[in-house]
Amino acid sequence: MRIATWNVNSITARLPRLLAWLESSGTDVLCIQETKTTAEQFPAAELRELGYESVVNATGRWNGVALVSRVGLDDVTTGLPGGPDYDGIQEPRAISATCGPARVWSVYVPNGREVDHAHFAYKLQWFEALKAAVAADSAGDRPFAVLGDFNVAPTDADVWDPTLFEGATHVTPAERTALAALREAGLSDVVPRPLKYDHPFTYWDYRQLGFPKNRGMRIDLVYGNEAFTKAVTDSYVDREERKGKGASDHAPVVVDLDV
């Protein structure tokens, strides 16, 4: 079974690449973030033509998440149970379902913007709610994983130059502590292998030749329970999909399971 996660940075802009990648990659389940569509605009028909069912949590703003599967989509939960609101609404940042033998979440963790911003406090609250929401599944015997854009680099090695991020979001002790709390809930970081260079970055800024110079970050993560991690046979960052015209600023992270 092949499961992947990909922040597509607008599924409308990326649709031809997405469909081609699904056809060529052999992916069974794809967790998508930053759809930037409404649920009605989501390309369910095009995905269905390739044999994929889909469920989406999106309102047309800059976030939105989805799950795409050719091995089933059962027991769907839309949103983050007990999750906090921001500006009076619960943003569409989580969706979960059972896909064949595994249960998966697609999450788009809040960015945080700046350390002293209200969105940063919201980000930490969101992590607390996520930990509570996944506790039962993470402790279970079924393969279970939370995949997506976590907007946190777990360690300094996951940033191309940590000195440039001092005082900024994505690398603060508070964010990394919140991420570590997920591991305490029974989840482990499935670190992919890089297809080039010595570290598996997943995001490169469009500006200042970030990708050609490999000035990246590892913020797209796969956190699995024991049953999930024991079944992993391979994991890698599909760096090739970050190349060329019209690419997202994130690359897919792919995980193969023997289940």
Side-chain angles (χ1 to χ4, degrees):
M1 183 177 182
R2 175 163 286 181
I3 301 177
T5 182
W6 191 5
N7 179 325
V8 295
N9 189 15
S10 174
I11 197 167
T12 302
R14 236 61 65 189
L15 185 57
R17 293 185 69 126
L18 172 64
L19 296 175
W21 186 82
L22 284 171
E23 282 197 286
S24 65
S25 67
T27 298
D28 296 302
V29 179
L30 177 61
C31 302
I32 299 174
Q33 301 84 44
E34 211 169 346
T35 62
K36 294 183 177 178
T37 62
T38 63
E40 294 74 21
Q41 293 168 332
F42 189 82
E46 290 89 337
L47 290 161
R48 194 177 302 115
E49 289 181 4
L50 292 183
Y52 290 91
E53 300 176 78
S54 58
V55 287
V56 59
N57 182 15
T59 57
R61 303 179 75 185
W62 53 84
N63 37 46
V65 291
L67 280 167
V68 174
S69 172
R70 62 181 184 183
V71 293
L73 281 170
D74 300 312
D75 302 322
V76 175
T77 298
T78 302
L80 177 60
D85 290 351
Y86 189 75
D87 282 345
I89 63 168
Q90 185 179 118
E91 296 179 321
R93 294 183 174 275
I95 194 164
S96 58
T98 300
C99 304
R103 184 157 184 85
V104 299
W105 283 65
S106 176
V107 301
Y108 183 33
V109 176
N111 177 283
R113 301 181 188 174
E114 298 175 355
V115 174
D116 59 353
H117 198 284
H119 207 260
F120 187 80
Y122 164 64
K123 180 177 190 174
L124 300 181
Q125 293 167 359
W126 205 92
F127 265 119
E128 289 179 5
L130 179 62
K131 178 183 177 181
V134 305
D137 281 324
S138 64
D141 296 329
R142 175 175 55 183
F144 170 75
V146 183
L147 306 92
D149 181 353
F150 283 67
N151 271 315
V152 180
T155 71
D156 281 353
D158 296 307
V159 182
W160 71 276
D161 187 347
T163 64
L164 298 180
F165 289 83
E166 290 180 4
T169 60
H170 292 55
V171 300
T172 65
E175 291 165 291
R176 287 176 173 171
T177 296
L179 188 59
L182 281 179
R183 299 193 290 272
E184 295 168 3
L187 300 176
S188 299
D189 187 356
V190 179
V191 180
R193 59 184 174 89
L195 295 186
K196 187 178 182 180
Y197 300 110
D198 60 352
H199 201 79
F201 295 145
T202 65
Y203 163 83
W204 301 260
D205 198 298
Y206 288 129
R207 299 167 295 182
Q208 299 178 333
L209 299 176
F211 182 68
K213 294 181 179 180
N214 199 36
R215 295 176 174 175
M217 305 176 74
R218 185 172 77 93
I219 58 175
D220 302 271
L221 310 176
V222 177
Y223 268 41
N225 71 351
E226 184 176 6
F228 186 94
T229 57
K230 281 186 174 180
V232 173
T233 59
D234 193 15
S235 182
Y236 61 93
V237 179
D238 190 350
R239 194 178 182 279
E240 293 299 303
E241 196 52 44
R242 178 60 176 81
K243 294 181 178 179
K245 184 178 180 180
S248 171
D249 44 3
H250 297 251
V253 179
V254 180
V255 182
D256 289 334
L257 303 173
D258 183 7
V259 290

